[in-house]
Amino acid sequence: MTITSSPIKIGQLNKKNLLDLISGKILALRVYPFISIETCIEWQKQIAKSKLMGRYSNALDIPVNRIGMTLFETGNDHKKLKLYFKKAKETLPSMERIFGERNPIQVLLSGLDTAWASGVVISQLYGQAMNPGIIRSFESDKAGGLPAHVDSLSKDLPDSDEFIDIRGQLAANLYFSVSSKGGELELWDYAPDADELEYLFTGDYDFIDTNKLPVSSQKLGPKVGELILFRSNCVHSVAAGEGGMRSAASCFIGYYGAYQPLTVWA
């Protein structure tokens, strides 16, 4: 049996559209243009000069680079969490050194803060500020892509009750460079629970066997200057791209209620 997927909406970044996304009325929200192409070109020039790009420390064989350490890389390990918190403090100053005051992370967080009346705050874990976002680039010369998976705090921190009140988790990607061919974001309107994930895992990292999913996917080809948001606990992947670098500013967004601030982290 195939379950009917929710629609993808093209619209503004505002509270109503965010609530529709969180509630599952829509599968994804596409905001275009979110930032000018001219700004994106300048950002990509700065990325090309940066020496801070590096592959995920726990997935060195995956051709994806990032600036900024992610919670995923800690593996819920105490020593790695200490390093994560240290690097989290360096994220925004690093972004300003690379891009200037108007940098991709700042623009993304400012847009969210404007759209949500209660504002946006950087998420806290064990009383310390988390990393507010990363810059991520896929290595097109090595057919860089990312197999199907889900992202959720419960998966990254299975033994923690720090986020027991969270009611929804979104992923946000602000694209400032895209591949000339491929590189699509593929979404499945399906959020597996912990038991289902065990059945769906391929055995390679935490990737998912999409042949076992009861829904069909929808593919989105990102545009330069576009912001795409979706529920990160739904299965998603990135197709391999060719020609040009696919780069984006990325973060997760936590929802605690319609009148509570949104939280952000990576």
Side-chain angles (χ1 to χ4, degrees), residues 56-60 66 69-88 125-126 128 131 156-157 266:
Y56 287 86
S57 59
N58 57 342
L60 294 173
R66 84 284 181 268
M69 187 175 180
T70 64
L71 184 64
F72 160 71
E73 294 175 76
T74 69
N76 202 23
D77 177 82
H78 178 69
K79 289 184 178 179
K80 291 179 180 178
L81 278 169
K82 286 183 66 176
L83 178 61
Y84 170 79
F85 290 129
K86 178 178 181 294
K87 289 184 173 292
L125 174 61
Y126 307 132
Q128 299 191 62
N131 181 11
D156 291 334
L157 299 168

Side-chain angles (χ1 to χ4, degrees), residues 22 42 54 84 86 115 180 202 204 222 229 241:
I22 291 163
E42 289 302 314
Y84 170 79
K86 178 178 181 294
S180 56
T202 62
D204 187 12
L229 304 99

Side-chain angles (χ1 to χ4, degrees), residues 20-66:
D20 283 349
L21 180 58
I22 291 163
S23 67
K25 289 182 180 179
I26 58 175
L27 177 60
L29 174 63
R30 305 185 69 164
V31 185
Y32 180 82
F34 185 78
I35 192 73
S36 72
I37 291 177
E38 291 76 16
T39 297
C40 292
I41 292 171
E42 289 302 314
W43 284 347
Q44 188 58 32
K45 287 179 181 177
Q46 299 309 314
I47 279 288
K49 298 176 185 178
S50 176
K51 297 180 180 179
L52 296 179
M53 275 287 185
R55 291 189 177 184
Y56 287 86
S57 59
N58 57 342
L60 294 173
D61 58 326
I62 304 297
V64 181
N65 291 300
R66 84 284 181 268

Side-chain angles (χ1 to χ4, degrees), residues 138-177:
F138 290 76
E139 299 176 22
S140 58
D141 60 329
K142 297 181 181 178
L146 199 58
H149 63 286
V150 299
D151 295 299
S152 69
L153 282 170
S154 60
K155 182 165 67 74
D156 291 334
L157 299 168
D159 303 321
S160 174
D161 60 0
E162 286 272 313
F163 301 96
I164 194 168
D165 294 327
I166 196 168
R167 294 166 59 184
Q169 179 174 330
L170 305 178
N173 293 301
L174 172 55
Y175 298 90
F176 50 91
S177 179

Side-chain angles (χ1 to χ4, degrees), residues 21-22 24 26-29 136 146-156 166-173 185-192 197 206 208 228-237 250-255 263 265-266:
L21 180 58
I22 291 163
I26 58 175
L27 177 60
L29 174 63
R136 187 166 60 176
L146 199 58
H149 63 286
V150 299
D151 295 299
S152 69
L153 282 170
S154 60
K155 182 165 67 74
D156 291 334
I166 196 168
R167 294 166 59 184
Q169 179 174 330
L170 305 178
N173 293 301
L185 173 64
E186 190 166 8
L187 301 175
W188 287 261
D189 196 359
Y190 191 73
L197 281 174
D206 58 356
I208 284 171
I228 299 180
L229 304 99
F230 60 93
R231 296 188 309 284
S232 65
N233 63 326
C234 288
V235 180
H236 55 281
S237 70
S250 302
C251 72
F252 295 117
I253 303 166
Y255 170 73
T263 62
W265 74 94

Side-chain angles (χ1 to χ4, degrees), residues 195-210:
D195 291 335
E196 289 173 311
L197 281 174
E198 289 296 325
Y199 166 71
L200 295 170
F201 283 151
T202 62
D204 187 12
Y205 293 106
D206 58 356
F207 298 143
I208 284 171
D209 182 354
T210 58

